[in-house]
Amino acid sequence: MSPYIGEYVPNVIVIVDDDKIKSQIDSYLQEIDESNFHVRYFTSTLDFEQKYFANQRELIEEKKGKQENTSGTLQTMDAKVSSIEDPSLISKRGTRSEEGEEGEEGEEEELQILSEIDLILFKLDSIGYSASFSVQNWIDKIWLQLRLGKYLPMEYTTRFVLLKFEDDIKSKLDFLHRRLDDIIYLPFDRLIFLQKIEILLGLPKKITPSFLFTQEVNLDIEISKISRLEKLSEFGLAIRNPVRLVQGLMAHFYLTLPEESVPINIWGQVIASEIHPQSSHEFLVYFSFFGIEKSNLLKIKKHLRFVEANYQPFLDTKREHFLANYPLNLEKKHPSPSVVFLDLDESHTHLTMGALQHDIDQLQVSVENTYTAFTQRLEGNDFEGTSSVPPVSEHHLFASPVIFTINNSNLETMGLDLKTLGKKGRGDPSSEASTYFGSLIEDHFTNGKSWMQPFLSIKGNQELIQEMVSLAERGPKVSRLILAKTKEGEKVSVRMSFQKEGSGGCTQVQILRPNLEEIATSNAFQKINNIDLLILDMSLIASGSIEGFIESLLERVRGTGVLKPEAKLKIILTIDENKAIDCREFFHESVVGLLRKPLDQKQLSFLVAQTLQTELSLLSFNNVHWCSVSLPIHVAKEVHLDSLSEFGATVRVPRPIAPGTVLYLRGFVFDQAPNKCLAGRFYHCENHPKEKGQYSCSMTYFGINDAFLKYVRKLFRETYAHSKQAS
């Protein structure tokens, strides 16, 4: 028995021009409940309107100016349920005669006018659909007539369901309307029709499905809503939004460009919000790209040149206008922010440092290629006041390079390379003039770890050497300037290189004598006294919690006093382009950007300029050309999928979703739907039965295409078979 039996008999209007479809609907409604339906059939909307609304034309003209504009509007995730405005327009259930009185007992049922209309099923071509008269127009018109004629049911509203063929040229998304409850494709899938109609006629209560079962699941997916993309650049995008968003907030976007058939997946981070220039009660919210893939960035650049043939990324292209000594800038005070660039590739880092200082005037940049060396320069007294240290002398290093191999597990030597035994006077260990930092060579290369002795008197060097060995074992050669002490106590500088040898387990070490120019141009021995921004290569972070690493880093930096008490360290992360990542792993209040390597220099300079809020850069926010566009864009958020069925799903969310809201499901089976997402219309929301402070929200799929339906049914069969085998 249906859930509404005993409460009321459903009144249904069917508008179709096909006898076969009419016969199917009649048969299906009897399956839902054999005798408890009042159904009226019409071949066109004109016939329906003449029967029910013939005397309403004057009323409609009178109310037309007051009609609520509802066409095409999507409710947001937190919208409230619409209510019927005027209770006096609600009728009592029953039937009426042609004249509007209660139907007489002997009158033929087909001639009786229903007093209330619970559901209208209408075929697309039955409403005179055209470019100038849409489904949305028709629904608005009919709903107003129902309201004026007092045909709306008590305590809720009439439900509308569109019937259309899947393979016609119109997308189901073209019919979105807050009063259109569903689209059911022709030819009918019997079980889908039965289940969806049963759910609709049970509203506003939530019923237990009678025709299709629901499978419990336990996984996270995404739901998205459609927003409007209004600004786009090489560095980010801007959407129209009803509220201002907090700077640093993350958002996940799916954007289908006109030239592309597949949506691109973009993460963004809020960098600014401003009042919308055309709508004072709305905002333009700007996002910088976060971890965008190179291929997607190229697609965006291509689209920008499609929109504007002469597109330029900047409004003012003259660099001299952004220098501190430019006449218009002389009256302003310009700080000299400090950036530390921590990257394994030392040669690449120096090139990038130079480019940053070219792009941003008065920027102070120092570079490091190991985390331990970075902390040494933050904390170590050995670096106080040290700007340069003399290179180790020939007397104190018997050859350059000294080459030997160590065991990675214990750092013990595995013998000298004979190549280091050069000509007399240059690398002859037997010469009295040749030593290893002032000591006999055999004292350091015949006894395990004694080769490290000259380095261990410098605080942090042991950890530095261990880190460099570990980095070399994971990949490329690691090299840097490092401090040592001679037997006489003199500080000297050497270059040390570590490179994986063979299949692993051991590392080749080279100790070289640096030249004076190399030392003079390096800041390897300068103490870091100030830091506004850290650019951090993720390859320097060992596996484990990224959040834990950042928290440890922040604690260490604060302990050195290089940050003001109220200041927060800001971090830009870099990661290899070929590494598969989930951007959510990098969310942290200190992280202001994520870039793929090899780095796009303009992307990096924009992020640095934006983070430091400097005006002394061509790439400052106000000089970026934000190209005007108007495209739909999906904004997604993560939710928990509680259950799944062939007709719909139930999700767990932290905030209620209003019935009537249309959102899009992503991930899991929904990737198999067209455009890798599936529209769902929510019909019920309640407190979650198990999770306090959470809500359970149920939806039906808004139009289910045949291919997706087959995929889900196959999945259910396989899941059922697997569960039977397991039991």
Side-chain angles (χ1 to χ4, degrees), residues 331-385:
E331 295 181 1
K332 301 178 183 177
K333 290 185 178 180
H334 301 286
S336 298
S338 176
V339 175
V340 175
F341 199 172
L342 189 51
D343 193 293
L344 184 59
D345 187 344
E346 189 179 27
S347 59
H348 165 75
T349 309
H350 280 91
L351 289 173
T352 306
M353 177 184 73
L356 273 175
Q357 291 176 315
H358 177 271
D359 289 342
I360 304 172
D361 197 26
Q362 293 196 334
L363 184 68
Q364 306 298 314
V365 184
S366 61
V367 299
E368 271 306 336
N369 67 340
T370 66
Y371 178 69
T372 306
F374 166 64
T375 58
Q376 273 186 312
R377 292 178 57 195
L378 282 173
E379 303 169 346
N381 292 328
D382 288 299
F383 295 90
E384 289 282 2

Side-chain angles (χ1 to χ4, degrees), residues 75 112 141 174 300 306 346 421 483 489 524 596 646 668:
Q75 298 183 41
Q112 293 178 351
K141 171 187 171 184
D174 294 332
I300 288 172
F306 173 79
E346 189 179 27
L421 303 179
L483 283 180
R596 307 270 187 160
E646 298 167 42
F668 189 40

Side-chain angles (χ1 to χ4, degrees), residues 480-720:
R480 65 164 286 106
L481 291 174
I482 186 169
L483 283 180
K485 278 189 179 181
T486 66
K487 185 179 180 181
E488 297 80 15
E490 179 190 6
K491 283 184 186 178
V492 294
S493 59
V494 299
R495 174 164 289 280
M496 293 190 73
S497 298
F498 296 82
Q499 188 167 18
K500 181 179 178 181
E501 193 169 87
S503 58
C506 56
T507 298
Q508 184 190 84
V509 183
Q510 292 190 26
I511 303 175
L512 302 91
R513 189 179 301 114
N515 59 55
L516 292 174
E517 182 183 359
E518 180 182 4
I519 298 171
T521 57
S522 171
N523 51 24
F525 304 131
Q526 295 176 3
K527 188 176 187 300
I528 297 173
N529 295 308
N530 182 42
I531 178 170
D532 297 297
L533 173 65
L534 176 65
I535 303 171
L536 175 62
D537 177 10
M538 289 300 299
S539 64
L540 294 174
I541 300 178
S543 59
S545 168
I546 295 170
E547 183 177 357
F549 173 86
I550 292 175
E551 288 299 326
S552 174
L553 167 65
L554 293 174
E555 184 179 351
R556 200 158 190 174
V557 171
R558 291 189 192 105
T560 64
V562 300
L563 283 178
K564 295 177 182 178
E566 69 280 5
K568 292 183 179 180
L569 179 64
K570 297 176 181 178
I571 303 171
I572 295 173
L573 300 174
T574 66
I575 194 163
D576 188 84
E577 169 74 7
N578 298 319
K579 187 171 184 179
I581 61 169
D582 181 347
C583 287
R584 287 169 291 196
E585 296 176 7
F586 305 95
F587 292 175
H588 190 280
E589 63 177 353
S590 293
V591 176
V592 295
L594 175 66
L595 295 172
R596 307 270 187 160
K597 296 175 67 177
L599 294 175
D600 182 303
Q601 185 61 49
K602 285 194 293 186
Q603 293 283 321
L604 176 61
S605 294
F606 169 77
L607 270 181
V608 172
Q610 172 61 29
T611 302
L612 300 175
Q613 294 291 290
T614 179
E615 298 177 0
L616 300 181
S617 176
L618 191 75
L619 294 99
S620 60
F621 177 83
N622 291 326
N623 193 47
V624 169
H625 176 30
W626 297 90
C627 187
S628 295
V629 295
S630 181
L631 296 171
I633 188 169
H634 284 250
V635 186
K637 64 188 295 185
E638 192 173 88
V639 298
H640 190 79
L641 182 64
D642 276 345
S643 64
L644 178 73
S645 69
E646 298 167 42
F647 63 88
T650 298
V651 296
R652 186 180 79 215
V653 291
R655 301 176 71 181
I657 300 176
T661 301
V662 175
L663 299 174
Y664 301 81
L665 299 126
R666 296 178 175 275
F668 189 40
V669 297
F670 308 111
D671 281 343
Q672 304 301 317
N675 298 316
K676 304 193 75 171
C677 66
L678 185 63
R681 194 175 196 274
F682 286 84
Y683 64 87
H684 190 267
C685 185
E686 62 187 359
N687 290 323
H688 198 279
K690 297 179 181 178
E691 299 290 337
K692 188 176 180 180
Q694 299 281 303
Y695 295 87
S696 177
C697 300
S698 299
M699 73 183 78
T700 55
Y701 305 138
F702 190 76
I704 312 171
N705 91 320
D706 188 55
F708 177 76
L709 191 56
K710 287 178 179 177
Y711 179 84
V712 173
R713 284 175 172 166
K714 180 183 177 184
L715 176 70
F716 281 172
R717 287 195 301 270
E718 291 173 351
T719 303
Y720 176 76

Side-chain angles (χ1 to χ4, degrees), residues 335-447:
S336 298
S338 176
V339 175
V340 175
F341 199 172
L342 189 51
D343 193 293
L344 184 59
D345 187 344
E346 189 179 27
S347 59
H348 165 75
T349 309
H350 280 91
L351 289 173
T352 306
M353 177 184 73
L356 273 175
Q357 291 176 315
H358 177 271
D359 289 342
I360 304 172
D361 197 26
Q362 293 196 334
L363 184 68
Q364 306 298 314
V365 184
S366 61
V367 299
E368 271 306 336
N369 67 340
T370 66
Y371 178 69
T372 306
F374 166 64
T375 58
Q376 273 186 312
R377 292 178 57 195
L378 282 173
E379 303 169 346
N381 292 328
D382 288 299
F383 295 90
E384 289 282 2
T386 303
S387 59
S388 63
V389 180
V392 63
S393 66
E394 290 187 10
H395 168 68
H396 285 106
L397 193 63
F398 64 88
S400 181
V402 174
I403 303 176
F404 55 96
T405 301
I406 60 172
N407 187 309
N408 292 346
S409 61
N410 55 24
L411 303 184
E412 293 183 356
T413 56
M414 300 174 66
L416 281 174
D417 192 307
L418 294 178
K419 294 177 183 177
T420 63
L421 303 179
K423 296 178 181 179
K424 188 174 181 180
R426 293 190 60 204
D428 186 353
S430 64
S431 169
E432 293 182 2
S434 298
T435 67
Y436 184 72
F437 296 96
S439 300
L440 295 175
I441 297 168
E442 56 265 26
D443 290 346
H444 293 280
F445 291 96
T446 58
N447 182 23

